[in-house]
Amino acid sequence: MRDPKRVAILISGRGSNMRALVEQANGYDVVLVASNNLYSEGLDWARMQALLPTWTWDSRGIDKARWEGALSRVLDDHRVGTIALAGFMRILSPPFVSAWAGRIVNIHPSLLPKYRGLDTHARALAARDAVSGCSVHVVTEELDAGEVLGSAEVPVLPDDDAASLEARVREAEHKLYPQVLSEFVTR
Ligand code: GRF
């Protein structure tokens, strides 16, 4: 039986948000960290420092339904009820999203509905926005378009470039995501 408080985090790379979710877990348990990239830095931390169960299968060249089928079995084995995407760079298929309808969340580096998709910081700078930020939203079949559960604003400073803005937004992400997830798992 799926338990909403049993959370799996899906990553592809650095995993700094995954780490924030683990370190600030309140009201939920991270029971699995999964990745589609064997070389995700975050996997090493999850396995070696946090001593969490991890699962990985390089998704390159693998049929999406097969990859997601294998993931689904691992999620079921761990009685996962909530999936938190944290820098997971693969778009989940409509059947997978519908099998988990309303139970997948994601953190996105913009104030949604602004700047869905990639290159959010460069786009905020190009638009000369005075404020940027991050949002946690429910994952639906449409990219970055599900219900926004919470967001945090950060200022855009006059001498910002995409890297400095990204770093400031990421700090805000690390506070926002654990707070929003703590509430979301009670749904
Ligand atoms: C974050 O900027 C997040 O908003 C986006 O991907 C990035 C992941 O960074 N979805 P990290 O792997 O959590 O450090």
Side-chain angles (χ1 to χ4, degrees), residues 126-162:
R128 300 186 179 278
D129 291 348
V131 173
S132 188
C134 51
S135 312
V136 177
H137 65 94
V138 176
V139 171
T140 58
E141 285 178 21
E142 195 182 340
L143 186 67
D144 302 327
E147 178 193 357
V148 175
L149 300 165
S151 58
E153 293 187 352
V154 303
V156 181
L157 302 181
D159 54 355
D160 264 337
D161 57 18

Side-chain angles (χ1 to χ4, degrees), residues 13-18 86-87 106-109 170 173:
R14 181 178 44 218
S16 69
N17 279 286
M18 176 272 298
N106 181 44
I107 181 127
H108 183 76
R170 193 167 330 115
E173 292 179 0

